[in-house]
Amino acid sequence: MKTILSQIKLKNQYLICVLSVSIVASLCLFTRNFLDHKVVGYILLVVVSLLAMFLDILPVLLSAVLSALILNFFFIQPYYTFHIYSAEDTLLLFLFFIIALINGVLTHKIRKAEKKLQIKEVRVNTMKLYNALLDSLSHELRTPISAIMGAIDTIQSKTVTISEENRQKLYLEIEKASLRLNHQVENLLNMSRLESGVIQPKMDWCDLKELIYNVLDHLKEDLLFNKVLVDVNDNLPLFKLDYGLTEQIIYNLIFNASQYTPKGAKIEIKVEYNPDVDFDYNPDKLMPCVITISDDGNGFPEEEIDKVFDKFYRLQNSKTGGTGLGLSIVKGFVEAQNGKITLENEEEGGSVFKIGFPVLVMNTAAISNE
Amino acid sequence: MNNQTEILVIDDEVQIRKLLEITLESNGYKTFFAENGKEGLLAAANHQPDLIILDLGLPDEDGQIVLKRLREWYKNPIIILTVKNTEEEIVKALDNGANDYLSKPFRTQELLARIRTALRNLVQSNDEPIVQFGNVSIDFTSRIVKLKEEILKLTATEYNLLSILIKNEGRVLTHQYLLKQVWGNSYSDQTQYLRVFVAQLRKKIEEDPNRPRFIITESGVGYRFNTS
């Protein structure tokens, strides 16, 4: 309410002040014979105070002045003049005016202070996010760079001789570090693509089965210690999706599963769709396509599930590595294709990522007979 | 090979040039270098190299334009080596006549393999009557495809697709190119045909169609036939 009213244009605020003071005053006019004008003064004070809670200072001052004039003109004897008979009433009017003013100014000051605090809070939060980003970034980029520089220094060192075996180990470390660096840069680039809003999905017919196996092939080194199950219909229809974005989505999810599940954990990929598609192709009808990627690892801490898709969010007890970008990229790429992603823990342990796309679907039987 | 194979590298980054010089020279290739498009075009004309490695992000001119200008007369393989790895950029480069592309960062082993494939296609003429890969043989004169001595039944479309892929072995063929060649010009955006027929062909010639050895997917770009 506060925010809505404070967005009202100044001109309209003046109007609101004049209207509410006049309306309340005219209502009081009917009761002039039973009610003391002091009571009317209190009522008008309440109106001014209420206005002060929501509106800018100038309109509030106007309503204070206006209500004082109205009080004098209509309610303090003699009526319909600005004359006042008794000294008591003069004092009353004077006090009324002062209290209304102080009320307006004080409320205004409080609100101003509140606003300042809010801005400060936002700033503090932004700083926190920025620091978190810097922390994880500098860690994620500097660690592999240190590994590379250190390994090279040792290899080049003229004062120590290292065994051939150790030399090979150092080479391997350099390789691992550069792959890690590349992975992080790739994440950062994807994130900035998302942030800049330049992603325009290029929808084309995708063979999801081919896509999934292609991703698994790219990740085969990371999946050496996992059992991977692909549950995909042999006659899977084609879905109209962006191949590159969808590939990245599935890549990140499977990569995550491979990194954060214990050795030997099972990773399952499933594609489900509406079987009605088998009848005929309707170029205007979007149908659901659901890709599920689940594992039987430890799952996510329940209280953190809502946050895992947030940018730079990393689980509290997460092992080192990762910038907290992977899943937020996944979410961004899913949403860029009008899809939705959810994460749930399974009762018997493990986590389930479900991605639902509304897509055009084409059954392939008609084409394949040629 | 009797005379040393000559490779021209057009790349503005001195680190990449150094890396390529060492890698290529130690693998027996003779190398030339150019730092920008202008020099590159000149060097290509002067040396007539057997293969060109071209970076797309050159300081003076868009690599795509250099590629186009080269292709006006240069017939040997051109491999693109670039940080620009968007599908659009890759497809554009292939359409402009590049034989292959590799995005930076790249593995040198991969680059060497691509160079070998490109050069092999240069030496071998592509119209050998019978080609053998894995357990599959294809006889272009009689249009017969065999798997372990047994004749494979391929539809006309499957056969056309397979033979185009084989004749361009090692080369990335874009979706559009394959669709135009096999189905005709008006089909160039009907990717669904390609998806279906590639899946069918894989079922017939690959040992494990889900992990293809021969017909390799180039994400969002096209397909490559691979025999090595």
PDB file of all heavy atoms in Angstrom, chain A residues 175 182 202 204-205 209-210 213-214 238 243-244 247 364 367-368 370, chain B residues 87 105 107 155 191-193 195-197 200 202 210 217 219-220 223:
ATOM      1  N   GLU A 175      47.309 -30.292 -16.936  1.00  0.00           N
ATOM      2  CA  GLU A 175      46.185 -30.616 -17.815  1.00  0.00           C
ATOM      3  C   GLU A 175      44.862 -30.458 -17.062  1.00  0.00           C
ATOM      4  O   GLU A 175      43.929 -29.807 -17.528  1.00  0.00           O
ATOM      5  CB  GLU A 175      46.328 -32.039 -18.351  1.00  0.00           C
ATOM      6  CG  GLU A 175      45.198 -32.388 -19.304  1.00  0.00           C
ATOM      7  CD  GLU A 175      45.270 -33.818 -19.801  1.00  0.00           C
ATOM      8  OE1 GLU A 175      46.042 -34.614 -19.222  1.00  0.00           O
ATOM      9  OE2 GLU A 175      44.559 -34.122 -20.761  1.00  0.00           O
ATOM     10  N   ASN A 182      39.018 -23.937 -18.012  1.00  0.00           N
ATOM     11  CA  ASN A 182      38.170 -23.831 -19.202  1.00  0.00           C
ATOM     12  C   ASN A 182      36.696 -23.999 -18.837  1.00  0.00           C
ATOM     13  O   ASN A 182      35.839 -23.256 -19.313  1.00  0.00           O
ATOM     14  CB  ASN A 182      38.593 -24.912 -20.204  1.00  0.00           C
ATOM     15  CG  ASN A 182      37.935 -24.714 -21.541  1.00  0.00           C
ATOM     16  OD1 ASN A 182      37.684 -23.582 -21.952  1.00  0.00           O
ATOM     17  ND2 ASN A 182      37.622 -25.808 -22.217  1.00  0.00           N
ATOM     18  N   LYS A 202      17.160 -21.023 -30.872  1.00  0.00           N
ATOM     19  CA  LYS A 202      16.957 -21.381 -32.275  1.00  0.00           C
ATOM     20  C   LYS A 202      16.258 -22.738 -32.270  1.00  0.00           C
ATOM     21  O   LYS A 202      16.898 -23.772 -32.127  1.00  0.00           O
ATOM     22  CB  LYS A 202      18.309 -21.467 -32.970  1.00  0.00           C
ATOM     23  CG  LYS A 202      18.276 -21.000 -34.410  1.00  0.00           C
ATOM     24  CD  LYS A 202      19.667 -21.080 -35.027  1.00  0.00           C
ATOM     25  CE  LYS A 202      19.910 -22.435 -35.623  1.00  0.00           C
ATOM     26  NZ  LYS A 202      21.227 -22.984 -35.551  1.00  0.00           N
ATOM     27  N   ASP A 204      14.673 -26.024 -33.365  1.00  0.00           N
ATOM     28  CA  ASP A 204      14.732 -26.925 -34.522  1.00  0.00           C
ATOM     29  C   ASP A 204      14.486 -28.351 -34.023  1.00  0.00           C
ATOM     30  O   ASP A 204      14.583 -28.616 -32.838  1.00  0.00           O
ATOM     31  CB  ASP A 204      16.100 -26.825 -35.191  1.00  0.00           C
ATOM     32  CG  ASP A 204      16.021 -27.234 -36.655  1.00  0.00           C
ATOM     33  OD1 ASP A 204      14.981 -27.795 -37.071  1.00  0.00           O
ATOM     34  OD2 ASP A 204      16.997 -27.001 -37.382  1.00  0.00           O
ATOM     35  N   TRP A 205      14.192 -29.235 -34.950  1.00  0.00           N
ATOM     36  CA  TRP A 205      13.880 -30.600 -34.530  1.00  0.00           C
ATOM     37  C   TRP A 205      15.088 -31.284 -33.910  1.00  0.00           C
ATOM     38  O   TRP A 205      16.147 -31.329 -34.501  1.00  0.00           O
ATOM     39  CB  TRP A 205      13.366 -31.410 -35.725  1.00  0.00           C
ATOM     40  CG  TRP A 205      12.066 -30.867 -36.213  1.00  0.00           C
ATOM     41  CD1 TRP A 205      11.856 -30.204 -37.390  1.00  0.00           C
ATOM     42  CD2 TRP A 205      10.803 -30.907 -35.539  1.00  0.00           C
ATOM     43  NE1 TRP A 205      10.538 -29.816 -37.480  1.00  0.00           N
ATOM     44  CE2 TRP A 205       9.868 -30.237 -36.358  1.00  0.00           C
ATOM     45  CE3 TRP A 205      10.382 -31.425 -34.312  1.00  0.00           C
ATOM     46  CZ2 TRP A 205       8.534 -30.080 -35.999  1.00  0.00           C
ATOM     47  CZ3 TRP A 205       9.057 -31.277 -33.953  1.00  0.00           C
ATOM     48  CH2 TRP A 205       8.148 -30.613 -34.793  1.00  0.00           C
ATOM     49  N   LYS A 209      17.365 -38.425 -27.964  1.00  0.00           N
ATOM     50  CA  LYS A 209      18.143 -39.616 -27.645  1.00  0.00           C
ATOM     51  C   LYS A 209      19.592 -39.405 -28.091  1.00  0.00           C
ATOM     52  O   LYS A 209      20.526 -39.654 -27.333  1.00  0.00           O
ATOM     53  CB  LYS A 209      17.525 -40.800 -28.385  1.00  0.00           C
ATOM     54  CG  LYS A 209      17.995 -42.133 -27.901  1.00  0.00           C
ATOM     55  CD  LYS A 209      17.169 -43.193 -28.594  1.00  0.00           C
ATOM     56  CE  LYS A 209      17.774 -44.544 -28.414  1.00  0.00           C
ATOM     57  NZ  LYS A 209      17.149 -45.505 -29.325  1.00  0.00           N
ATOM     58  N   GLU A 210      19.744 -38.908 -29.307  1.00  0.00           N
ATOM     59  CA  GLU A 210      21.077 -38.624 -29.835  1.00  0.00           C
ATOM     60  C   GLU A 210      21.779 -37.600 -28.957  1.00  0.00           C
ATOM     61  O   GLU A 210      22.950 -37.742 -28.602  1.00  0.00           O
ATOM     62  CB  GLU A 210      20.941 -38.096 -31.269  1.00  0.00           C
ATOM     63  CG  GLU A 210      22.254 -37.689 -31.905  1.00  0.00           C
ATOM     64  CD  GLU A 210      22.026 -36.850 -33.156  1.00  0.00           C
ATOM     65  OE1 GLU A 210      21.490 -35.727 -33.036  1.00  0.00           O
ATOM     66  OE2 GLU A 210      22.361 -37.317 -34.249  1.00  0.00           O
ATOM     67  N   TYR A 213      22.901 -39.121 -25.531  1.00  0.00           N
ATOM     68  CA  TYR A 213      24.076 -39.990 -25.657  1.00  0.00           C
ATOM     69  C   TYR A 213      25.317 -39.196 -26.027  1.00  0.00           C
ATOM     70  O   TYR A 213      26.440 -39.523 -25.634  1.00  0.00           O
ATOM     71  CB  TYR A 213      23.818 -41.102 -26.677  1.00  0.00           C
ATOM     72  CG  TYR A 213      23.068 -42.258 -26.057  1.00  0.00           C
ATOM     73  CD1 TYR A 213      21.721 -42.453 -26.310  1.00  0.00           C
ATOM     74  CD2 TYR A 213      23.711 -43.142 -25.192  1.00  0.00           C
ATOM     75  CE1 TYR A 213      21.021 -43.499 -25.730  1.00  0.00           C
ATOM     76  CE2 TYR A 213      23.027 -44.197 -24.601  1.00  0.00           C
ATOM     77  CZ  TYR A 213      21.681 -44.363 -24.878  1.00  0.00           C
ATOM     78  OH  TYR A 213      21.013 -45.404 -24.288  1.00  0.00           O
ATOM     79  N   ASN A 214      25.127 -38.123 -26.793  1.00  0.00           N
ATOM     80  CA  ASN A 214      26.249 -37.264 -27.159  1.00  0.00           C
ATOM     81  C   ASN A 214      26.848 -36.600 -25.910  1.00  0.00           C
ATOM     82  O   ASN A 214      28.072 -36.545 -25.740  1.00  0.00           O
ATOM     83  CB  ASN A 214      25.743 -36.210 -28.151  1.00  0.00           C
ATOM     84  CG  ASN A 214      26.853 -35.664 -29.013  1.00  0.00           C
ATOM     85  OD1 ASN A 214      27.908 -36.279 -29.143  1.00  0.00           O
ATOM     86  ND2 ASN A 214      26.630 -34.503 -29.592  1.00  0.00           N
ATOM     87  N   LEU A 238      10.474 -36.513 -32.464  1.00  0.00           N
ATOM     88  CA  LEU A 238      11.379 -35.361 -32.472  1.00  0.00           C
ATOM     89  C   LEU A 238      10.712 -34.215 -31.711  1.00  0.00           C
ATOM     90  O   LEU A 238       9.499 -34.038 -31.777  1.00  0.00           O
ATOM     91  CB  LEU A 238      11.662 -34.922 -33.902  1.00  0.00           C
ATOM     92  CG  LEU A 238      12.349 -35.950 -34.805  1.00  0.00           C
ATOM     93  CD1 LEU A 238      12.434 -35.418 -36.224  1.00  0.00           C
ATOM     94  CD2 LEU A 238      13.733 -36.298 -34.299  1.00  0.00           C
ATOM     95  N   TYR A 243      18.972 -26.977 -29.803  1.00  0.00           N
ATOM     96  CA  TYR A 243      19.876 -28.104 -29.561  1.00  0.00           C
ATOM     97  C   TYR A 243      21.003 -27.716 -28.595  1.00  0.00           C
ATOM     98  O   TYR A 243      21.264 -28.397 -27.612  1.00  0.00           O
ATOM     99  CB  TYR A 243      20.467 -28.591 -30.884  1.00  0.00           C
ATOM    100  CG  TYR A 243      21.095 -29.968 -30.825  1.00  0.00           C
ATOM    101  CD1 TYR A 243      20.388 -31.084 -31.256  1.00  0.00           C
ATOM    102  CD2 TYR A 243      22.381 -30.158 -30.345  1.00  0.00           C
ATOM    103  CE1 TYR A 243      20.949 -32.354 -31.209  1.00  0.00           C
ATOM    104  CE2 TYR A 243      22.955 -31.417 -30.291  1.00  0.00           C
ATOM    105  CZ  TYR A 243      22.235 -32.515 -30.731  1.00  0.00           C
ATOM    106  OH  TYR A 243      22.788 -33.762 -30.678  1.00  0.00           O
ATOM    107  N   GLY A 244      21.634 -26.579 -28.873  1.00  0.00           N
ATOM    108  CA  GLY A 244      22.786 -26.155 -28.069  1.00  0.00           C
ATOM    109  C   GLY A 244      22.415 -25.896 -26.610  1.00  0.00           C
ATOM    110  O   GLY A 244      23.103 -26.359 -25.707  1.00  0.00           O
ATOM    111  N   GLU A 247      21.457 -29.130 -24.834  1.00  0.00           N
ATOM    112  CA  GLU A 247      22.653 -29.921 -24.594  1.00  0.00           C
ATOM    113  C   GLU A 247      23.383 -29.405 -23.346  1.00  0.00           C
ATOM    114  O   GLU A 247      23.793 -30.173 -22.486  1.00  0.00           O
ATOM    115  CB  GLU A 247      23.561 -29.794 -25.816  1.00  0.00           C
ATOM    116  CG  GLU A 247      24.625 -30.840 -25.897  1.00  0.00           C
ATOM    117  CD  GLU A 247      25.418 -30.687 -27.178  1.00  0.00           C
ATOM    118  OE1 GLU A 247      25.594 -29.555 -27.657  1.00  0.00           O
ATOM    119  OE2 GLU A 247      25.855 -31.718 -27.708  1.00  0.00           O
ATOM    120  N   THR A 364       8.000 -39.764 -35.965  1.00  0.00           N
ATOM    121  CA  THR A 364       8.900 -39.943 -37.104  1.00  0.00           C
ATOM    122  C   THR A 364       8.451 -41.016 -38.075  1.00  0.00           C
ATOM    123  O   THR A 364       9.036 -41.168 -39.137  1.00  0.00           O
ATOM    124  CB  THR A 364      10.305 -40.304 -36.604  1.00  0.00           C
ATOM    125  OG1 THR A 364      10.185 -41.463 -35.785  1.00  0.00           O
ATOM    126  CG2 THR A 364      10.899 -39.172 -35.812  1.00  0.00           C
ATOM    127  N   ILE A 367       7.938 -40.158 -41.813  1.00  0.00           N
ATOM    128  CA  ILE A 367       9.112 -39.805 -42.614  1.00  0.00           C
ATOM    129  C   ILE A 367       9.931 -41.024 -42.971  1.00  0.00           C
ATOM    130  O   ILE A 367      10.410 -41.175 -44.087  1.00  0.00           O
ATOM    131  CB  ILE A 367      10.016 -38.839 -41.818  1.00  0.00           C
ATOM    132  CG1 ILE A 367       9.236 -37.585 -41.454  1.00  0.00           C
ATOM    133  CG2 ILE A 367      11.259 -38.498 -42.589  1.00  0.00           C
ATOM    134  CD1 ILE A 367       9.996 -36.669 -40.522  1.00  0.00           C
ATOM    135  N   SER A 368      10.039 -41.956 -42.030  1.00  0.00           N
ATOM    136  CA  SER A 368      11.050 -42.996 -42.166  1.00  0.00           C
ATOM    137  C   SER A 368      10.764 -44.020 -43.259  1.00  0.00           C
ATOM    138  O   SER A 368      11.617 -44.831 -43.569  1.00  0.00           O
ATOM    139  CB  SER A 368      11.234 -43.699 -40.821  1.00  0.00           C
ATOM    140  OG  SER A 368       9.986 -44.145 -40.357  1.00  0.00           O
ATOM    141  N   GLU A 370      10.386 -43.483 -46.421  1.00  0.00           N
ATOM    142  CA  GLU A 370      10.867 -43.111 -47.748  1.00  0.00           C
ATOM    143  C   GLU A 370      12.100 -43.870 -48.159  1.00  0.00           C
ATOM    144  O   GLU A 370      12.951 -44.138 -47.342  1.00  0.00           O
ATOM    145  CB  GLU A 370      11.173 -41.616 -47.770  1.00  0.00           C
ATOM    146  CG  GLU A 370       9.926 -40.801 -47.860  1.00  0.00           C
ATOM    147  CD  GLU A 370      10.241 -39.331 -47.659  1.00  0.00           C
ATOM    148  OE1 GLU A 370      11.266 -38.891 -48.189  1.00  0.00           O
ATOM    149  OE2 GLU A 370       9.471 -38.657 -46.979  1.00  0.00           O
TER     150      GLU A 370
ATOM    151  N   GLU B  87      27.181 -21.649 -32.916  1.00  0.00           N
ATOM    152  CA  GLU B  87      26.762 -22.473 -34.051  1.00  0.00           C
ATOM    153  C   GLU B  87      26.705 -21.649 -35.337  1.00  0.00           C
ATOM    154  O   GLU B  87      27.120 -22.109 -36.398  1.00  0.00           O
ATOM    155  CB  GLU B  87      25.386 -23.074 -33.767  1.00  0.00           C
ATOM    156  CG  GLU B  87      25.442 -24.137 -32.689  1.00  0.00           C
ATOM    157  CD  GLU B  87      24.112 -24.345 -31.995  1.00  0.00           C
ATOM    158  OE1 GLU B  87      23.084 -23.905 -32.541  1.00  0.00           O
ATOM    159  OE2 GLU B  87      24.098 -24.939 -30.903  1.00  0.00           O
ATOM    160  N   PRO B 105      39.728 -23.193 -26.490  1.00  0.00           N
ATOM    161  CA  PRO B 105      40.966 -23.980 -26.435  1.00  0.00           C
ATOM    162  C   PRO B 105      40.811 -25.360 -27.094  1.00  0.00           C
ATOM    163  O   PRO B 105      39.751 -25.958 -26.997  1.00  0.00           O
ATOM    164  CB  PRO B 105      41.191 -24.134 -24.931  1.00  0.00           C
ATOM    165  CG  PRO B 105      39.859 -23.929 -24.298  1.00  0.00           C
ATOM    166  CD  PRO B 105      39.084 -23.041 -25.191  1.00  0.00           C
ATOM    167  N   ARG B 107      42.796 -29.252 -28.250  1.00  0.00           N
ATOM    168  CA  ARG B 107      43.864 -30.194 -27.925  1.00  0.00           C
ATOM    169  C   ARG B 107      44.677 -30.398 -29.191  1.00  0.00           C
ATOM    170  O   ARG B 107      44.121 -30.602 -30.265  1.00  0.00           O
ATOM    171  CB  ARG B 107      43.291 -31.537 -27.457  1.00  0.00           C
ATOM    172  CG  ARG B 107      42.270 -31.443 -26.325  1.00  0.00           C
ATOM    173  CD  ARG B 107      42.798 -30.685 -25.130  1.00  0.00           C
ATOM    174  NE  ARG B 107      43.931 -31.306 -24.468  1.00  0.00           N
ATOM    175  CZ  ARG B 107      43.859 -31.953 -23.313  1.00  0.00           C
ATOM    176  NH1 ARG B 107      42.708 -32.097 -22.696  1.00  0.00           N
ATOM    177  NH2 ARG B 107      44.937 -32.456 -22.767  1.00  0.00           N
ATOM    178  N   THR B 155      17.383 -47.924 -47.946  1.00  0.00           N
ATOM    179  CA  THR B 155      16.478 -47.235 -48.873  1.00  0.00           C
ATOM    180  C   THR B 155      17.328 -46.293 -49.725  1.00  0.00           C
ATOM    181  O   THR B 155      18.488 -46.038 -49.419  1.00  0.00           O
ATOM    182  CB  THR B 155      15.435 -46.394 -48.116  1.00  0.00           C
ATOM    183  OG1 THR B 155      16.120 -45.325 -47.467  1.00  0.00           O
ATOM    184  CG2 THR B 155      14.680 -47.231 -47.098  1.00  0.00           C
ATOM    185  N   THR B 191      14.946 -30.127 -40.985  1.00  0.00           N
ATOM    186  CA  THR B 191      15.909 -30.933 -40.231  1.00  0.00           C
ATOM    187  C   THR B 191      15.354 -32.279 -39.793  1.00  0.00           C
ATOM    188  O   THR B 191      16.108 -33.223 -39.590  1.00  0.00           O
ATOM    189  CB  THR B 191      16.363 -30.165 -38.976  1.00  0.00           C
ATOM    190  OG1 THR B 191      16.305 -28.791 -39.255  1.00  0.00           O
ATOM    191  CG2 THR B 191      17.749 -30.554 -38.572  1.00  0.00           C
ATOM    192  N   GLN B 192      14.027 -32.350 -39.640  1.00  0.00           N
ATOM    193  CA  GLN B 192      13.446 -33.604 -39.152  1.00  0.00           C
ATOM    194  C   GLN B 192      13.836 -34.808 -40.017  1.00  0.00           C
ATOM    195  O   GLN B 192      14.082 -35.896 -39.521  1.00  0.00           O
ATOM    196  CB  GLN B 192      11.919 -33.488 -39.019  1.00  0.00           C
ATOM    197  CG  GLN B 192      11.147 -33.358 -40.303  1.00  0.00           C
ATOM    198  CD  GLN B 192      10.966 -31.902 -40.721  1.00  0.00           C
ATOM    199  OE1 GLN B 192      11.804 -31.062 -40.412  1.00  0.00           O
ATOM    200  NE2 GLN B 192       9.902 -31.605 -41.431  1.00  0.00           N
ATOM    201  N   TYR B 193      13.942 -34.588 -41.346  1.00  0.00           N
ATOM    202  CA  TYR B 193      14.318 -35.694 -42.238  1.00  0.00           C
ATOM    203  C   TYR B 193      15.699 -36.213 -41.890  1.00  0.00           C
ATOM    204  O   TYR B 193      15.936 -37.416 -41.797  1.00  0.00           O
ATOM    205  CB  TYR B 193      14.288 -35.233 -43.698  1.00  0.00           C
ATOM    206  CG  TYR B 193      12.894 -35.038 -44.208  1.00  0.00           C
ATOM    207  CD1 TYR B 193      12.263 -33.805 -44.132  1.00  0.00           C
ATOM    208  CD2 TYR B 193      12.180 -36.109 -44.752  1.00  0.00           C
ATOM    209  CE1 TYR B 193      10.964 -33.635 -44.569  1.00  0.00           C
ATOM    210  CE2 TYR B 193      10.885 -35.948 -45.199  1.00  0.00           C
ATOM    211  CZ  TYR B 193      10.274 -34.712 -45.107  1.00  0.00           C
ATOM    212  OH  TYR B 193       8.995 -34.548 -45.536  1.00  0.00           O
ATOM    213  N   ARG B 195      17.381 -35.901 -39.071  1.00  0.00           N
ATOM    214  CA  ARG B 195      17.404 -36.558 -37.763  1.00  0.00           C
ATOM    215  C   ARG B 195      16.942 -38.014 -37.879  1.00  0.00           C
ATOM    216  O   ARG B 195      17.553 -38.927 -37.351  1.00  0.00           O
ATOM    217  CB  ARG B 195      16.490 -35.834 -36.777  1.00  0.00           C
ATOM    218  CG  ARG B 195      16.890 -34.415 -36.500  1.00  0.00           C
ATOM    219  CD  ARG B 195      18.041 -34.357 -35.527  1.00  0.00           C
ATOM    220  NE  ARG B 195      18.363 -32.978 -35.166  1.00  0.00           N
ATOM    221  CZ  ARG B 195      19.587 -32.521 -35.032  1.00  0.00           C
ATOM    222  NH1 ARG B 195      20.610 -33.326 -35.234  1.00  0.00           N
ATOM    223  NH2 ARG B 195      19.806 -31.279 -34.694  1.00  0.00           N
ATOM    224  N   VAL B 196      15.827 -38.203 -38.590  1.00  0.00           N
ATOM    225  CA  VAL B 196      15.256 -39.537 -38.704  1.00  0.00           C
ATOM    226  C   VAL B 196      16.186 -40.466 -39.480  1.00  0.00           C
ATOM    227  O   VAL B 196      16.460 -41.595 -39.061  1.00  0.00           O
ATOM    228  CB  VAL B 196      13.872 -39.462 -39.383  1.00  0.00           C
ATOM    229  CG1 VAL B 196      13.374 -40.859 -39.724  1.00  0.00           C
ATOM    230  CG2 VAL B 196      12.891 -38.749 -38.469  1.00  0.00           C
ATOM    231  N   PHE B 197      16.723 -39.978 -40.601  1.00  0.00           N
ATOM    232  CA  PHE B 197      17.525 -40.869 -41.427  1.00  0.00           C
ATOM    233  C   PHE B 197      18.905 -41.146 -40.849  1.00  0.00           C
ATOM    234  O   PHE B 197      19.446 -42.234 -41.040  1.00  0.00           O
ATOM    235  CB  PHE B 197      17.605 -40.342 -42.866  1.00  0.00           C
ATOM    236  CG  PHE B 197      16.381 -40.711 -43.638  1.00  0.00           C
ATOM    237  CD1 PHE B 197      15.271 -39.884 -43.654  1.00  0.00           C
ATOM    238  CD2 PHE B 197      16.318 -41.928 -44.307  1.00  0.00           C
ATOM    239  CE1 PHE B 197      14.121 -40.245 -44.328  1.00  0.00           C
ATOM    240  CE2 PHE B 197      15.173 -42.303 -44.983  1.00  0.00           C
ATOM    241  CZ  PHE B 197      14.065 -41.458 -44.999  1.00  0.00           C
ATOM    242  N   GLN B 200      18.274 -43.843 -38.449  1.00  0.00           N
ATOM    243  CA  GLN B 200      18.065 -45.126 -39.137  1.00  0.00           C
ATOM    244  C   GLN B 200      19.371 -45.725 -39.651  1.00  0.00           C
ATOM    245  O   GLN B 200      19.628 -46.908 -39.504  1.00  0.00           O
ATOM    246  CB  GLN B 200      17.142 -44.913 -40.342  1.00  0.00           C
ATOM    247  CG  GLN B 200      15.707 -44.993 -39.954  1.00  0.00           C
ATOM    248  CD  GLN B 200      14.780 -44.682 -41.117  1.00  0.00           C
ATOM    249  OE1 GLN B 200      13.719 -44.155 -40.889  1.00  0.00           O
ATOM    250  NE2 GLN B 200      15.185 -44.977 -42.341  1.00  0.00           N
ATOM    251  N   ARG B 202      22.349 -45.171 -38.561  1.00  0.00           N
ATOM    252  CA  ARG B 202      23.161 -45.624 -37.438  1.00  0.00           C
ATOM    253  C   ARG B 202      22.717 -47.006 -36.976  1.00  0.00           C
ATOM    254  O   ARG B 202      23.526 -47.853 -36.643  1.00  0.00           O
ATOM    255  CB  ARG B 202      23.064 -44.635 -36.274  1.00  0.00           C
ATOM    256  CG  ARG B 202      23.963 -43.441 -36.434  1.00  0.00           C
ATOM    257  CD  ARG B 202      23.759 -42.478 -35.312  1.00  0.00           C
ATOM    258  NE  ARG B 202      24.694 -41.363 -35.379  1.00  0.00           N
ATOM    259  CZ  ARG B 202      24.483 -40.204 -34.778  1.00  0.00           C
ATOM    260  NH1 ARG B 202      23.392 -40.016 -34.072  1.00  0.00           N
ATOM    261  NH2 ARG B 202      25.366 -39.234 -34.873  1.00  0.00           N
ATOM    262  N   ASN B 210      23.739 -45.935 -30.301  1.00  0.00           N
ATOM    263  CA  ASN B 210      23.721 -44.850 -29.326  1.00  0.00           C
ATOM    264  C   ASN B 210      25.109 -44.248 -29.104  1.00  0.00           C
ATOM    265  O   ASN B 210      25.237 -43.130 -28.646  1.00  0.00           O
ATOM    266  CB  ASN B 210      23.181 -45.344 -27.987  1.00  0.00           C
ATOM    267  CG  ASN B 210      21.705 -45.658 -28.067  1.00  0.00           C
ATOM    268  OD1 ASN B 210      20.985 -45.036 -28.848  1.00  0.00           O
ATOM    269  ND2 ASN B 210      21.273 -46.636 -27.308  1.00  0.00           N
ATOM    270  N   THR B 217      27.957 -36.758 -34.396  1.00  0.00           N
ATOM    271  CA  THR B 217      27.139 -35.547 -34.296  1.00  0.00           C
ATOM    272  C   THR B 217      28.014 -34.347 -33.981  1.00  0.00           C
ATOM    273  O   THR B 217      28.817 -34.392 -33.062  1.00  0.00           O
ATOM    274  CB  THR B 217      26.127 -35.694 -33.143  1.00  0.00           C
ATOM    275  OG1 THR B 217      25.386 -36.892 -33.358  1.00  0.00           O
ATOM    276  CG2 THR B 217      25.186 -34.509 -33.072  1.00  0.00           C
ATOM    277  N   SER B 219      27.309 -30.950 -32.618  1.00  0.00           N
ATOM    278  CA  SER B 219      26.157 -30.292 -31.996  1.00  0.00           C
ATOM    279  C   SER B 219      25.700 -29.023 -32.696  1.00  0.00           C
ATOM    280  O   SER B 219      26.467 -28.078 -32.825  1.00  0.00           O
ATOM    281  CB  SER B 219      26.491 -29.932 -30.558  1.00  0.00           C
ATOM    282  OG  SER B 219      26.885 -31.079 -29.879  1.00  0.00           O
ATOM    283  N   GLY B 220      24.449 -29.027 -33.102  1.00  0.00           N
ATOM    284  CA  GLY B 220      23.853 -27.824 -33.657  1.00  0.00           C
ATOM    285  C   GLY B 220      24.413 -27.414 -35.002  1.00  0.00           C
ATOM    286  O   GLY B 220      24.018 -26.407 -35.554  1.00  0.00           O
ATOM    287  N   TYR B 223      26.884 -33.135 -39.289  1.00  0.00           N
ATOM    288  CA  TYR B 223      27.432 -34.470 -39.036  1.00  0.00           C
ATOM    289  C   TYR B 223      28.781 -34.619 -39.715  1.00  0.00           C
ATOM    290  O   TYR B 223      29.081 -33.938 -40.684  1.00  0.00           O
ATOM    291  CB  TYR B 223      26.467 -35.540 -39.555  1.00  0.00           C
ATOM    292  CG  TYR B 223      25.187 -35.600 -38.760  1.00  0.00           C
ATOM    293  CD1 TYR B 223      24.059 -34.904 -39.183  1.00  0.00           C
ATOM    294  CD2 TYR B 223      25.119 -36.316 -37.576  1.00  0.00           C
ATOM    295  CE1 TYR B 223      22.889 -34.943 -38.439  1.00  0.00           C
ATOM    296  CE2 TYR B 223      23.962 -36.360 -36.820  1.00  0.00           C
ATOM    297  CZ  TYR B 223      22.846 -35.677 -37.258  1.00  0.00           C
ATOM    298  OH  TYR B 223      21.705 -35.712 -36.517  1.00  0.00           O
TER     299      TYR B 223
END
